[in-house]
């Protein structure tokens, strides 16, 4: 079956540091890839997505590139802020036929940014 | 405002006492889903629904029931809750027909404790 692998963390960074959260996946076919963010006490919300190989998703200074050759979708940000402290989930979505969309999530990586 | 709502947000109950967590979306989405979030396990799908009266099991359906009598509502039913169902629950919805590029919209979560 499909799977998504990411470190659980926590990842602790100082403000303005560079962020990388690694995400690798296993899937058949051509999944779409997503990063969702969960702020404390809230539900998940979409951060960015990419639907085909070599696509780059970007939002709020975050970027991730869909690398089919390495089956990866690493999340990066050049300069993190305290307000970026949250849990980040990598996910893939694949069609299994019959209109059914199967979404598989990673375990989530907690990011703590200290002033 | 487009949103997914869940009620209650917090619930403490005792083993064996039937409960229902409601979920409602106002985006006319076809696809709805329930997840549970547990430390170290990420999000795991419990049940999903592709449309009214169409539901199916996800990865961890044991001990749960769902129904989809109206497009906007997708309640999660625990007929006889047990302590291992203590978790954070999320409802999500998406268009479902646009393929695997769909973004999921999440509710704010329901924190359930079963004593």
């Amino acid at each position: 079956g499909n799977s998504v692998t990411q470190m659980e963390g926590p990842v602790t960074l100082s403000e303005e540091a560079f962020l990388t959260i690694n995400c690798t996946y296993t899937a058949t076919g051509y999944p779409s890839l997503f990063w969702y963010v969960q702020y404390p006490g809230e539900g998940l919300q979409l951060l960015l997505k990419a639907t085909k190989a070599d696509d780059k998703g970007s939002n709020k200074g975050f970027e991730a590139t869909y690398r089919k050759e390495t089956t990866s979708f690493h999340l990066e940000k050049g300069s993190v802020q305290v307000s970026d402290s949250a849990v980040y989930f990598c996910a893939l979505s694949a069609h299994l036929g019959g209109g059914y969309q199967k979404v598989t999530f990673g375990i989530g990586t907690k990011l703590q940014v200290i002033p | 405002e487009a949103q997914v709502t869940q009620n209650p947000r917090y619930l403490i109950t005792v083993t064996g006492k039937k409960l229902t967590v409601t979920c409602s979306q106002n985006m006319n989405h076809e696809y709805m889903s329930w997840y549970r979030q547990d430390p170290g396990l990420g999000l795991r799908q419990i049940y999903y629904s592709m449309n009214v009266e169409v539901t199916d099991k996800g990865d961890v359906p044991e001990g749960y029931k769902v129904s989809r009598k109206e497009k906007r509502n997708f309640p999660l039913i625990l007929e006889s809750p047990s302590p291992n169902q203590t978790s954070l629950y999320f409802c999500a919805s998406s268009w479902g027909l646009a393929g695997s590029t769909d973004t999921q919209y999440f509710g704010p979560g329901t924190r359930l404790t079963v004593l």
Side-chain angles (χ1 to χ4, degrees), chain A residues 4 6 8 18 26 38 42 46 52 55 59 66 90-92 98 106 109 114-115:
Chain A
V4 175
Q6 61 178 121
E8 189 170 9
F18 185 86
T26 302
Q38 182 182 30
E42 298 182 11
L46 179 70
K52 61 183 186 295
D55 267 2
N59 186 26
Y66 188 166
C90 185
L92 69 82
T109 300
I114 53 178

Side-chain angles (χ1 to χ4, degrees), chain A residues 7-78:
Chain A
M7 63 179 295
E8 189 170 9
V11 173
T12 302
L13 295 174
S14 297
E15 207 165 21
E16 299 184 3
F18 185 86
L19 168 71
T20 299
I21 300 177
N22 289 340
C23 170
T24 57
Y25 67 90
T26 302
T28 54
Y30 302 94
S32 294
L33 301 175
F34 303 80
W35 278 101
Y36 284 87
V37 59
Q38 182 182 30
Y39 298 104
E42 298 182 11
L44 281 72
Q45 56 185 276
L46 179 70
L47 180 60
L48 54 83
K49 69 179 183 182
T51 59
K52 61 183 186 295
D54 299 325
D55 267 2
K56 178 186 282 188
S58 61
N59 186 26
K60 299 181 181 179
F62 291 90
E63 293 183 340
T65 301
Y66 188 166
R67 301 284 188 202
K68 191 165 177 63
E69 64 276 13
T70 55
T71 61
S72 65
F73 193 53
H74 304 322
L75 182 69
E76 296 182 336
K77 186 175 186 183

Side-chain angles (χ1 to χ4, degrees), chain A residues 8 30-34 36 38 41-46 49 51 87 89 93-95 97-108, chain B residues 9-10 31 35 37 39-43 45 48 50 57-59 88 90 94 96-109:
Chain A
E8 189 170 9
Y30 302 94
S32 294
L33 301 175
F34 303 80
Y36 284 87
Q38 182 182 30
E42 298 182 11
L44 281 72
Q45 56 185 276
L46 179 70
K49 69 179 183 182
T51 59
V87 181
F89 289 89
S93 179
H95 241 358
Y100 173 42
Q101 173 201 114
K102 170 69 174 177
V103 182
T104 303
F105 288 87
I107 62 172
Chain B
R9 293 290 311 278
Y10 303 90
Y31 185 90
Y35 296 90
Q37 182 181 10
L41 297 175
L43 271 77
Q45 189 179 54
Y48 67 93
M50 290 194 288
K57 298 175 181 177
D59 299 316
L88 179 58
F90 289 101
S94 65
L97 297 179
S100 60
T101 60
D102 275 354
T103 298
Q104 292 206 61
Y105 294 83
F106 285 82

Side-chain angles (χ1 to χ4, degrees), chain B residues 37-86:
Chain B
Q37 182 181 10
D38 301 290
L41 297 175
L43 271 77
R44 294 178 293 168
Q45 189 179 54
I46 303 170
Y47 268 94
Y48 67 93
S49 169
M50 290 194 288
N51 213 325
V52 175
E53 304 291 3
V54 181
T55 64
D56 207 348
K57 298 175 181 177
D59 299 316
V60 288
E62 294 77 21
Y64 304 94
K65 285 176 56 177
V66 294
S67 68
R68 188 95 181 269
K69 292 182 168 52
E70 305 166 279
K71 198 171 189 178
R72 63 184 292 125
N73 296 323
F74 190 45
L76 179 69
I77 303 157
L78 284 71
E79 294 270 3
S80 183
S82 62
N84 64 12
Q85 292 179 298
T86 293

